[in-house]
Amino acid sequence: MKARTTAVVAAGFALILAYTLATLFKDKGDHATPAQGMPMVTITVPELSENAVEGQKLFQENCSVCHGDNAVGREGFGPPLVHKIYEPGHHSDGSFFVAAKQGVRAHHWSFGDMPPVQNTSMRDVERIVVFVRELQRANGIH
């Protein structure tokens, strides 16, 4: 009988200890999560060439709603283009033209598919690419 009582007490103690530890180390959900729409990267904006300044304006008008001001991305909306994924050796300038004209199926990020960008000409996209590439170079992406 004494052995049974000892086993019950030990089991009770183990349950109390397990509950206490679980409560103590439980994820309370108060850890930091990125805020919707916030920039995803921090960059340096260099002095831009004349074509890049024009591209920056066009980027703001056509791309920044998803890709953020100066291509830093927006949490929950679109990825940063100043990112090693978009370096010229991985995404050529032509990929920007295709993306603007046809859209892009999601493949590197989980933002969903990118729709075509309406009302942008080849010249507009050319200037946008100049802008993005100048930002990339200024931030060590070649």
Side-chain angles (χ1 to χ4, degrees), residues 26 39 71 118 124 135:
K26 181 181 177 191
Q118 302 298 319
D124 292 343
L135 288 176

Side-chain angles (χ1 to χ4, degrees), residues 37-41 59 64 66-75 77-82 111:
M38 293 300 294
M40 297 176 66
V41 297
F59 186 92
S64 66
C66 293
H67 292 288
D69 293 336
N70 295 314
V72 296
R74 290 188 64 218
E75 282 293 344
F77 293 92
L81 300 178
V82 182
F111 295 103

Side-chain angles (χ1 to χ4, degrees), residues 18 32 56 71 75 91 104 110 114 116:
Q56 183 181 37
E75 282 293 344
H91 282 84
V104 179
S110 60
M114 176 184 149

Side-chain angles (χ1 to χ4, degrees), residues 37-57:
M38 293 300 294
M40 297 176 66
V41 297
T42 302
I43 66 164
T44 299
V45 178
E47 185 172 328
L48 299 168
S49 69
E50 186 176 323
N51 284 338
V53 168
E54 190 176 337
Q56 183 181 37
K57 181 178 182 279

Side-chain angles (χ1 to χ4, degrees), residues 42-131:
T42 302
I43 66 164
T44 299
V45 178
E47 185 172 328
L48 299 168
S49 69
E50 186 176 323
N51 284 338
V53 168
E54 190 176 337
Q56 183 181 37
K57 181 178 182 279
L58 291 163
F59 186 92
Q60 283 299 117
E61 294 169 0
N62 297 286
C63 313
S64 66
V65 69
C66 293
H67 292 288
D69 293 336
N70 295 314
V72 296
R74 290 188 64 218
E75 282 293 344
F77 293 92
L81 300 178
V82 182
H83 190 281
K84 65 182 180 177
I85 287 177
Y86 299 102
E87 67 186 353
H90 189 251
H91 282 84
S92 69
D93 292 355
S95 65
F96 287 87
F97 288 92
V98 171
K101 184 174 181 173
Q102 300 175 2
V104 179
R105 290 183 61 198
H107 58 287
H108 290 297
W109 307 87
S110 60
F111 295 103
D113 296 343
M114 176 184 149
V117 181
Q118 302 298 319
N119 303 319
T120 54
S121 68
M122 294 292 280
R123 183 183 174 284
D124 292 343
V125 177
E126 180 181 287
R127 297 297 191 262
I128 290 168
V129 169
V130 168
F131 167 63

